Amino acid sequence: MTSTEPTSTPATGPTSESAPVLLQIVDGIATITLNRPEAMNGLNVATKELLRDYVLQVGADPAVRCVVLTGSGRAFCVGQDLKEHLAGLNGDTTVPLSDTVERHYNPTVLALATMAKPVIAAVNGVAAGAGASLAFAADFRILLDTAGYNTSFAGVALSCDTGASWTLPRLVGRAKAMELLYFPRTIDATEALELGLASQVVAAADFQQTVGDLARRLAAGPTVAFGAIRAAVANSAGNSFADSLAFEAEKMGLTGATEDHLAAVNAFVAKEKPVFHGR
């Protein structure tokens, strides 16, 4: 999954191979790669801003039908760049510590979790702190067999952020989430699979192929229906059964009017395989 300049309207910011975040859009698949391998893809201000901008861009791009988030080097993302964070604690006013959650983390993870298209986290190495939280917000988490998670927050006397308080209990249950948040530790890929924090665990030789196969399958699917399913599942997490039924009816009306639905019904009657165009 090498990265180049975006093939659709570019976001504001650098797009060279030396940029802290890379974006590639090919055949409806947007691959966003955190690109600070020397810092284990730690999130400094420049990285957070470009990541946010790219996530917002691909979420709004109708040509993008699946998003893959991954890292370069041996880490997925170790979360906040603590060297930059320490500089801020020591008085560096160029580092916006007080509002980075609202300016950077919140809009990024909100867009990842709510965009009307599928999201894959290709976890190629350690995912810690906000890095783990970003992965938790995806629909699918493909883990390299040497990868792992660490919530990290309490270990540096911080609360959790980037949506972990919402996503983690829904993935592993409240009791386990509290344990993992209170007492950070490394969760290896095998345990992650057992807990439901990994959709698949694969060896290095198969990692890119596995991620690519899933991304292509999702990008070739009924995008509006996938987006509606994402929204319906999220809506039901905080609403009554009756409210959830009403929301489902609304989304059924939306998807029932799509070109993809009509094509699928025609293909079924003709005993053919449907071809979806994401509209």
Side-chain angles (χ1 to χ4, degrees), residues 161-250:
D161 64 20
T162 319
S165 65
W166 197 94
T167 55
L168 189 56
R170 286 166 171 79
L171 290 168
V172 302
R174 184 184 187 277
K176 193 65 178 181
M178 296 303 289
E179 175 195 325
L180 297 177
L181 290 168
Y182 276 172
F183 308 114
R185 61 180 176 83
T186 298
I187 304 162
D188 65 23
T190 299
E191 184 180 4
L193 186 63
E194 294 170 353
L195 290 175
L197 294 175
S199 307
Q200 291 177 261
V201 172
V202 296
D206 302 318
F207 184 67
Q208 290 193 9
Q209 184 68 45
T210 300
V211 172
D213 286 348
L214 178 58
R216 285 186 289 273
R217 180 180 180 186
L218 291 168
T223 310
V224 179
F226 287 159
I229 290 168
R230 286 195 99 202
V233 171
N235 175 78
S236 293
N239 285 287
S240 69
F241 186 60
D243 288 339
S244 298
L245 290 175
F247 191 85
E248 287 181 350
E250 177 186 327

Side-chain angles (χ1 to χ4, degrees), residues 7-232:
T7 56
S8 60
T9 304
T12 301
T15 56
S16 72
E17 291 293 329
S18 62
V21 185
L22 305 176
L23 174 62
Q24 178 191 55
I25 301 175
V26 177
D27 296 333
I29 300 168
T31 300
I32 300 173
T33 304
L34 296 165
N35 189 43
R36 297 186 70 216
E38 74 288 349
M40 298 185 74
N41 298 319
L43 298 168
N44 61 4
V45 171
T47 305
K48 287 181 287 190
E49 290 183 344
L50 194 53
L51 174 63
R52 176 199 59 203
D53 292 348
Y54 278 157
V55 169
L56 291 171
Q57 174 188 329
V58 300
D61 187 344
V64 172
R65 296 172 64 186
C66 177
V67 175
V68 177
L69 178 65
T70 193
S72 59
R74 61 192 180 94
F76 176 76
C77 175
V78 295
Q80 174 66 40
D81 184 317
L82 291 183
K83 290 183 179 179
E84 187 176 82
H85 182 69
L86 181 60
L89 292 175
N90 289 329
D92 183 352
T93 58
T94 65
V95 182
L97 294 175
S98 60
D99 61 353
T100 192
V101 170
E102 292 187 358
R103 284 183 56 188
H104 303 123
Y105 292 120
N106 286 359
T108 299
V109 76
L110 182 63
L112 276 177
T114 62
M115 64 176 63
K117 59 198 71 178
V119 176
I120 301 169
V123 184
N124 57 297
V126 61
S133 299
L134 289 170
F136 299 158
D139 298 313
F140 300 91
R141 286 161 294 281
I142 309 299
L143 267 62
L144 193 63
D145 57 9
T146 55
Y149 295 110
N150 193 312
T151 60
S152 298
F153 300 107
V156 289
L158 287 175
S159 180
C160 52
D161 64 20
T162 319
S165 65
W166 197 94
T167 55
L168 189 56
R170 286 166 171 79
L171 290 168
V172 302
R174 184 184 187 277
K176 193 65 178 181
M178 296 303 289
E179 175 195 325
L180 297 177
L181 290 168
Y182 276 172
F183 308 114
R185 61 180 176 83
T186 298
I187 304 162
D188 65 23
T190 299
E191 184 180 4
L193 186 63
E194 294 170 353
L195 290 175
L197 294 175
S199 307
Q200 291 177 261
V201 172
V202 296
D206 302 318
F207 184 67
Q208 290 193 9
Q209 184 68 45
T210 300
V211 172
D213 286 348
L214 178 58
R216 285 186 289 273
R217 180 180 180 186
L218 291 168
T223 310
V224 179
F226 287 159
I229 290 168
R230 286 195 99 202

Side-chain angles (χ1 to χ4, degrees), residues 116 221-231 251 254-255 258 260 276 278-279:
T223 310
V224 179
F226 287 159
I229 290 168
R230 286 195 99 202
K251 293 302 179 183
L254 170 69
T255 56
T258 61
D260 280 348
F276 298 117
R279 55 182 184 269

